[in-house]
Amino acid sequence: MDFTFGGVTLVILVVALVFVFKTINVVPQQHAWVVERLGKYHATLGPGLNIVVPFIDRVAYKHSLKEIPLDVPSQVCITKDNTQLQVDGILYFQVTDAMRASYGSSNYVNAITQLAQTTLRSVIGRMELDKTFEEREHINTAVVNAIDESAANWGVKVLRYEIKDLTPPADILHAMQAQITAERGKRALIAASEGRKQEQINIATGEREASIARSEGEKQAAINRAQGEAAAITAIAEATAGALRQVGAAIEEPGGSQAVNLRVAEQYVDAFGRLAKTNNTLIVPANLGDMSSLIATAMQVVKTQKAERTVVRPD
């Protein structure tokens, strides 16, 4: 009897433990569990302690709510210009609705992968080969928009798509390398020609500026010479005017007029004397009477001056 009672107690204890274990469920952070009651969706358990009815409720699906990277298998795409292109990418998604993720698709991961591949082939097919390398951001955005619209029914949010590698065929790679080499050679020639052009422009500009500077210098020198000559002429004129004023003042003094006549007579005689010495031809004045009268006048002036000095001399 004791053995039987002890066995029943043990069984009850085990059942109780199992019941408690089935009743209490602890859901980790960033996870969601889907509970079915008698085969029908009942609730979604969030992080923390949750209680379910044993043997009636069961946890049917467990989902992680973290961002999940999905490696999309590499595939061959045909571009608009009929070139094969090997494309490899990675997709980032996140479960936002655990119930839809459980019942919206039998395998949402596989569905997202297939949709990403078909969308990528469609986007690449509308672009030429050169554009595929330039429009990576456009390709990524187009794939995300197309997948995200369909993935909403699966309780999944597509965050972004990144192309890891674009690999054209080997012959296309060689052709692209040759094109790049030719383009760089073209740039080098253009750069060299631009350099020569700039050099010629600089030389012409320098010569023009030097010519302008020389002409400005010559202009300034001419101005300075003209100003100097004008100053000299002005000085000579002022000196001549001063001399004339002094002569005029001297003439106004007593004996001034006689002194002028004497000076004119002396210069007249001296001029005829120099002409006679430098020329074999005898020069005779047209009016000798004028010359004699001029000499007489000069002698009279000399006598008058001597008489005046005699009168003025003190005893």
Side-chain angles (χ1 to χ4, degrees), residues 25-61:
N25 290 272
V26 178
V27 180
Q29 182 67 33
Q30 285 296 97
H31 284 74
W33 292 0
V34 174
V35 176
E36 292 180 351
R37 175 168 293 179
L38 299 177
K40 183 180 179 181
Y41 171 76
H42 173 65
T44 300
L45 303 182
L49 182 65
N50 295 272
I51 298 176
V52 298
V53 179
F55 308 108
I56 298 178
D57 296 340
R58 75 179 184 92
V59 178
Y61 301 96

Side-chain angles (χ1 to χ4, degrees), residues 6-22 55:
V8 173
T9 304
L10 181 61
V11 171
I12 293 173
L13 181 59
V14 171
V15 171
L17 291 175
V18 173
F19 186 84
V20 172
F21 180 77
K22 290 288 186 178
F55 308 108

